[in-house]
Amino acid sequence: MTTADTQELGLTLFEEIGDAAVVADPDTARVVEVNPAARRLTGMPRPLLLRLTLDELFRADRGAGMAHLLRALRATQTFHAQDGYSLRRAGADWVPVNLTLTRLHAEAGPLGLILARDVTDRRRAEDELRRANAELERRVADRTADLRGAAATYERLVHSLDVVVWEADPASGRFTFVGPQAEALLGFPPAAWLSSPTFWADRLHPDDRDRCVALRREHVRAGADHRLEYRLAAADGRAVWVEDRARLAPSPAGVRLAGTLRDVTRRRAAEEARAALEERLRQAQKLEAVGRLAGGIAHDFNNLLTVINGYAELLVGDLPADDPRRGAAEAVLDAGDRAARLTRQLLAFGRRQVLAPVVLSLTEVVASAEGMLRRLVGEDVSFATALDPDLPPVEADPGQIEQVVLNLVVNAREAMPTGGALTVSTRAVEVGPGHPAAGELAPDWYAELTVSDTGAGMTDEVRARVFEPFFTTKGGKGTGLGLATVFGVVKQSGGHVLVDSAVGAGTTFRVLLPAVAGGAAEGPAAEPAGASRGGAETVLLVEDEGQVRRIARSALEAAGYAVVEASDGPGAVAVAAAHPGPIDLVVTDVVMPGMGGRAVAEAVRRGRPGVKVLYVSGYTDDAVLRHGVGGGADAFLQKPFTPRSLAEKVRAVLDGGSGPA
Ligand code: ADP
Ligand code: MG
């Protein structure tokens, strides 16, 4: 290419190039030539542009002005000035440009060529980018503030909840976070919770551990939300019931098991108390039902036994000692006696026995039965008593208390088939808060009878059921009525029974009866001397059961009494009204259809105010009678009775005292 060609090409480029091209004198900074692009970009005609200096055409947005660029141009061949320059536009406007300066060598001396590229679009894009960046930064800052706020809120929440919020590694079981309430829950600071992967399992109650560990593993494997209830051992040894709700949740550190622990000890205690109460109610209802049943059976049974035993006794009395039939009659009487005892037993645990309570001393009851108990216990068990001579008296039926002692001693004996030690003791105890019977008995002084053995003891399951009627662990040999009877008697006397026992460590039964004020107990009155003394008084006999009435009548007549009789209440009232002579005593059955014994006594008394009354019954539903017939002229005779016991009792009542029960 020739020089002319090159000049030609340069000129064409100058004319056609899209950048504004300005040629200037480096010494004066005057514009000497511009290309069409420069005219377009500035919006100014060529003559106007040729009157400007570079300082007027360009502006440095910062730093030194155009002059230093020209100075630089004198020393340098080419350089670029990328940013920070603007090109004047008509109308006091400026266009952002990038500059490239080149020194040219013309014949008249050096010239400067300045190429200015419009960078408006790029600037705008850059500005937008900057704005966008600033916006982004602002948003990030806002979000960070939000997150900080949220974290603070969460922390406040975690602190204010009445649950322990926790997070754990599902694989190892190690807690990775626990809320600050963790310390109040168990007494261990959060750091202790996080310290060991087995913290949770270690604190689990032994009875809950296997179940809960297995359940948790199962739920984690299935990825299931779950709820567990169990006990944790607190630092002070307390068992704390907790409700634990957990789920698997993603977290920055991988999947975590997250949940809450709530202290539900009080709720559990309330539930357990309610369950215990329901159980007791159930037991009471059962006892009530059995009692009704027993009462119903015993009523008929006692009448039958009165007849059987009555005639057996008459037969035995009538037959000469050497009569071979006498043995048979005695056997009938003996069996009848045992049947009568069994009936009494049935009634006692059904609490439907008529009590003949007197003020007595448990010490004296035990002391007077000691010889019999010793024989019962036998040789291979050592028997000891520790009796408090100053024991406060109680009010109870002596026959029943004897039964209680007997049943407890028999059980103790049976629990020691290969020997051991059996102790019966009495003492005064004060029941107050903290006493094991405090829930059952009012705070006060009680006389306590203790029967303890060194025998086989019992499991908790057995111990929970011993007082149930018919509950026995002795197979066909036991009746299961011994302790039910004890319970019935003691409850009916306003007391309570406690059991302490452990397998292999023996058993102690404690009977508590309310102490009563009053003088020393008198034992049961002695049997009147001699056989049955009779009398000549008139007796009104009221009994609905014909055979019983007949045997009673013949017993009374044999003893010399005049007898008028009635087979029901209204009949008795009519007989009493119609009888011309005196009536000294009413002997009446208690339980009769229609009008009961008490109503009969009251009605007869309206016409004959001073008349004495002897109630006869095996059982009663009458709560007043059940707690003992009132004092004064009224007395009570237990069915089944024999001709002799009836005659004796009638004599005693007529003579003033109520005689033996
Ligand atoms: P039974 O003696 O006919 O079985 P009880 O009502 O007297 O009926 O006693 C019920 C159960 O209570 C007994 O079968 C026995 O399991 C348990 N029991 C009672 N007393 C004792 C005792 N002293 N030691 C161990 N177990 C006893
Ligand atoms: Mg028994």
Side-chain angles (χ1 to χ4, degrees):
M1 211 156 57
T2 63
T3 309
D5 289 342
T6 309
Q7 280 182 349
E8 180 63 27
L9 181 63
L11 218 62
T12 308
L13 275 174
F14 185 75
E15 288 298 313
E16 299 300 326
I17 194 167
D19 292 345
V22 177
V23 180
D25 176 347
D27 291 325
T28 61
R30 281 203 167 281
V31 174
V32 294
E33 190 53 272
V34 294
N35 71 347
R39 298 202 294 272
R40 243 187 349 265
L41 209 52
T42 59
M44 288 186 267
R46 182 168 175 273
L48 184 56
L49 286 169
L50 296 190
R51 282 208 291 276
L52 296 177
T53 64
L54 284 181
D55 278 330
E56 289 161 336
L57 190 59
F58 292 98
R59 184 183 77 182
D61 293 339
R62 53 181 178 273
M66 286 305 287
H68 100 277
L69 285 184
L70 291 175
R71 271 197 301 281
L73 200 54
R74 275 183 231 119
T76 317
Q77 190 63 40
T78 297
F79 68 90
H80 301 280
Q82 285 295 345
D83 277 324
Y85 296 91
S86 301
L87 174 67
R88 182 184 291 276
R89 258 180 86 82
D93 202 3
W94 294 86
V95 181
V97 287
N98 278 355
L99 300 180
T100 304
L101 288 82
T102 310
R103 193 165 52 156
L104 304 174
H105 295 283
E107 278 156 29
L111 286 175
L113 171 65
I114 299 145
L115 291 176
R117 176 167 295 174
D118 179 1
V119 293
T120 309
D121 288 348
R122 214 191 76 199
R123 279 277 177 85
R124 193 175 297 133
E126 278 170 2
D127 283 352
E128 251 155 43
L129 194 64
R130 235 192 320 281
R131 248 200 320 282
N133 269 334
E135 175 65 16
L136 201 64
E137 267 167 30
R138 199 180 53 73
R139 288 214 201 138
V140 167
D142 283 358
R143 190 86 190 94
T144 308
D146 279 358
L147 283 175
R148 282 216 189 86
T153 305
Y154 282 128
E155 193 170 323
R156 247 194 338 274
L157 274 175
V158 164
H159 276 260
S160 68
L161 292 174
D162 63 349
V163 298
V164 178
V165 175
W166 60 266
E167 207 176 60
D169 175 10
S172 70
R174 184 195 287 269
F175 285 109
T176 51
F177 171 83
V178 289
Q181 295 88 332
E183 175 142 22
L185 185 74
L186 293 189
F188 292 105
W193 291 62
L194 310 190
S195 65
S196 149
T198 57
F199 180 86
W200 183 67
D202 289 346
R203 302 321 299 171
L204 268 171
H205 192 283
D207 291 352
D208 299 334
R209 189 175 295 141
D210 292 350
R211 172 178 65 93
C212 289
V213 168
L215 276 174
R216 170 138 291 162
R217 194 176 304 135
E218 184 89 343
H219 289 310
V220 166
R221 189 182 311 128
D225 292 2
H226 55 282
R227 181 184 162 284
L228 300 173
E229 227 171 274
Y230 51 79
R231 281 156 291 180
L232 290 174
D236 59 8
R238 250 176 335 117
V240 179
W241 273 104
V242 294
E243 179 194 65
D244 183 347
R245 290 170 183 275
R247 63 168 40 170
L248 287 162
S251 93
V255 174
R256 283 274 184 258
L257 194 58
T260 56
L261 287 175
R262 181 193 299 275
D263 186 340
V264 293
T265 309
R266 281 170 62 183
R267 194 196 76 205
R268 291 292 299 213
E271 278 169 9
E272 272 161 22
R274 196 172 57 229
L277 214 65
E278 275 165 8
E279 173 60 17
R280 265 168 55 194
L281 190 67
R282 215 175 52 73
Q283 284 299 338
Q285 282 167 341
K286 194 157 144 191
L287 214 62
E288 178 72 19
V290 175
R292 274 182 199 288
L293 185 69
I297 294 169
H299 174 69
D300 292 342
F301 226 69
N302 278 329
N303 283 337
L304 295 173
L305 286 172
T306 302
V307 176
I308 294 168
N309 294 357
Y311 285 118
E313 189 178 283
L314 290 178
L315 270 176
V316 170
D318 282 355
L319 291 170
D322 56 352
D323 192 306
R325 288 168 298 172
R326 192 177 162 125
E330 275 170 352
V332 172
L333 194 57
D334 191 46
D337 260 355
R338 274 189 291 158
R341 269 202 301 279
L342 191 63
T343 313
R344 256 204 303 281
Q345 180 116 319
L346 267 173
L347 285 170
F349 82 73
R351 300 186 220 176
R352 275 179 169 67
Q353 195 169 26
V354 181
L355 292 185
V358 296
V359 174
L360 57 79
S361 156
L362 292 179
T363 290
E364 279 168 28
V365 172
V366 175
S368 65
E370 199 173 328
M372 186 258 293
L373 295 176
R374 214 171 270 286
R375 278 192 301 282
L376 192 83
V377 165
E379 314 247 287
D380 41 355
V381 167
S382 74
F383 180 82
T385 57
L387 305 176
D388 178 357
D390 300 320
L391 193 69
V394 298
E395 202 169 354
D397 181 322
Q400 292 202 327
I401 295 303
E402 230 167 62
Q403 184 82 54
V404 165
V405 178
L406 197 68
N407 289 1
L408 293 177
V409 168
V410 166
N411 278 346
R413 174 73 190 84
E414 287 171 349
M416 299 183 288
T418 57
L422 199 166
T423 312
V424 179
S425 57
T426 58
R427 60 174 186 149
V429 296
E430 190 175 11
V431 172
H435 189 280
E440 296 288 336
L441 300 174
D444 206 342
W445 281 91
Y446 289 80
E448 184 185 70
L449 168 81
T450 306
V451 177
S452 46
D453 64 62
T454 56
M458 32 183 148
T459 62
D460 286 350
E461 289 72 35
V462 168
R463 201 189 49 202
R465 301 189 58 193
V466 286
F467 295 116
E468 272 180 38
F470 308 115
F471 174 78
T472 179
T473 58
K474 296 169 190 166
K477 287 201 298 189
T479 62
L481 290 180
L483 290 178
T485 302
V486 168
F487 195 77
V489 168
V490 173
K491 279 289 155 187
Q492 206 175 342
S493 309
H496 189 58
V497 196
L498 297 170
V499 197
D500 280 324
S501 186
V503 175
T507 301
T508 298
F509 280 90
R510 288 193 279 161
V511 170
L512 292 149
L513 293 176
V516 294
E522 280 169 35
E527 292 264 333
S532 45
R533 289 179 299 120
E537 290 93 338
T538 301
V539 175
L540 168 55
L541 174 66
V542 193
E543 166 64 59
D544 61 325
E545 175 59 42
Q547 289 211 33
V548 176
R549 194 168 66 244
R550 217 162 302 139
I551 198 163
R553 176 173 198 141
S554 58
L556 291 173
E557 283 175 346
Y561 299 103
V563 178
V564 286
E565 62 169 54
S567 62
D568 59 18
V573 178
V575 167
H579 186 72
I583 291 178
D584 302 287
L585 175 70
V586 178
V587 174
T588 178
D589 192 11
V590 174
V591 182
M592 291 182 293
M595 192 174 185
R598 278 222 299 160
V600 169
E602 275 165 28
V604 171
R605 254 198 196 123
R606 273 196 284 277
R608 298 169 181 268
V611 74
K612 293 182 170 180
V613 177
L614 172 61
Y615 293 104
V616 184
S617 185
Y619 92 112
T620 179
D621 269 330
D622 185 323
V624 176
L625 283 181
R626 204 185 303 155
H627 290 96
V629 285
D634 294 345
F636 175 77
L637 177 65
Q638 173 81 48
K639 264 187 188 174
F641 58 84
T642 65
R644 182 177 145 155
S645 67
L646 174 65
E648 276 169 5
K649 187 74 181 186
V650 164
R651 188 64 258 150
V653 176
L654 285 169
D655 288 346
S658 60

